[in-house]
Amino acid sequence: MTAKQMMDFLHVAERLKDNTRHCTTSKRRTESVAEHSWRVSLMAMMLVHEIENVDFYKILQMCILHDLGESITGDIPAFWKTEDDSQKEALVLFDLLDTLPENLREDWKALFLEMEAQQTKEAKIYKALDKLEAVIQHNESPLDTWLPLEYELNQTYGKKEAEVAHPFLAELRQLAVEDTKKKLREETPKE
């Protein structure tokens, strides 16, 4: 890889810092895609001694790579994202990866395809973490920033993925759902 290739790629990836997600932080600031990816990666790092017989380096790569296409497309909340949106994001990601040297390009394309196929333990763990981070972030954001559909969605989003990935993630997700229910009880305006 040349220094110029790396610099050009990093300039595109930097957009993830400015591309925002639907959710806000606990202090009402709109969250960036990069912040979401960072915390998904942090969550993976915290599991190194909790889950055995998986490649955590690969999981971290997945966590960092998973929303890179959004540096070009921007974020579309999961509840509005269509199959066409997902395909477009994959296409722009592959176009972006085509700017990299062959060995890196092929490694990252293979990684993305593994993530999409959801057949390996690593891919299942990454996907569960991605969804779980969104649930946790919603719990941390003020309730008046939620859309009405999120009251139920936050209680169901990522349930299957966490259960399939690992019992520890299912337990963590259950704690997040308990936090959601508590938030709804305590912060929903009384009529």
Side-chain angles (χ1 to χ4, degrees):
M1 170 178 357
T2 67
K4 174 91 171 96
Q5 283 177 304
M6 185 170 178
M7 189 66 74
D8 289 345
F9 189 89
L10 289 173
H11 287 321
V12 174
E14 186 270 345
R15 297 177 195 166
L16 288 178
K17 295 180 181 183
D18 286 324
N19 287 350
T20 58
R21 290 171 52 85
H22 160 70
C23 197
T24 67
T25 66
S26 58
K27 293 188 178 181
R28 299 183 172 275
R29 185 180 50 76
T30 304
E31 172 190 37
S32 76
V33 177
E35 290 168 317
H36 162 72
S37 295
W38 167 79
R39 191 153 78 162
V40 173
S41 301
L42 181 64
M43 292 167 70
M45 289 176 61
M46 294 177 77
L47 294 174
V48 168
H49 299 293
E50 304 303 326
I51 301 176
E52 297 176 349
N53 302 316
V54 294
D55 182 346
F56 272 99
Y57 177 66
K58 182 182 275 191
I59 294 169
L60 279 168
Q61 289 179 303
M62 290 176 175
C63 292
I64 292 167
L65 181 66
H66 83 280
D67 279 339
L68 190 57
E70 293 180 13
S71 65
I72 297 166
T73 65
D75 178 67
I76 299 172
F79 47 84
W80 288 330
K81 192 175 240 179
T82 66
E83 183 61 35
D84 285 345
D85 294 327
S86 295
Q87 288 177 357
K88 180 180 178 184
E89 190 176 316
L91 288 173
V92 299
L93 174 63
F94 273 51
D95 286 346
L96 179 59
L97 296 180
D98 281 340
T99 68
L100 296 172
E102 183 178 359
N103 58 351
L104 194 55
R105 173 181 63 235
E106 296 309 314
D107 288 350
W108 287 11
K109 283 183 177 182
L111 189 67
F112 181 78
L113 292 173
E114 180 179 339
M115 293 160 57
E116 291 294 296
Q118 284 293 292
Q119 297 298 309
T120 64
K121 288 181 183 181
E122 290 81 2
K124 290 174 183 177
I125 290 169
Y126 130 74
K127 181 58 89 175
L129 292 173
D130 179 34
K131 291 182 177 246
L132 183 55
E133 196 284 332
V135 172
I136 293 168
Q137 186 60 55
H138 269 76
N139 286 340
E140 294 167 341
S141 65
L143 188 61
D144 65 1
T145 65
W146 292 26
L147 296 174
L149 67 86
E150 292 173 307
Y151 288 37
E152 179 62 30
L153 181 62
N154 220 50
Q155 297 178 62
T156 59
Y157 191 65
K159 181 179 191 296
K160 178 185 79 168
E161 289 81 1
E163 289 172 352
V164 167
H166 193 272
F168 187 88
L169 293 176
E171 181 182 350
L172 187 62
R173 193 197 164 282
Q174 185 55 43
L175 285 175
V177 170
E178 290 170 20
D179 287 347
T180 299
K181 290 178 180 178
K182 180 180 178 188
K183 182 178 200 68
L184 291 172
R185 275 193 316 272
E186 294 177 358
E187 296 182 31
T188 302
K190 306 295 186 242
E191 294 182 20

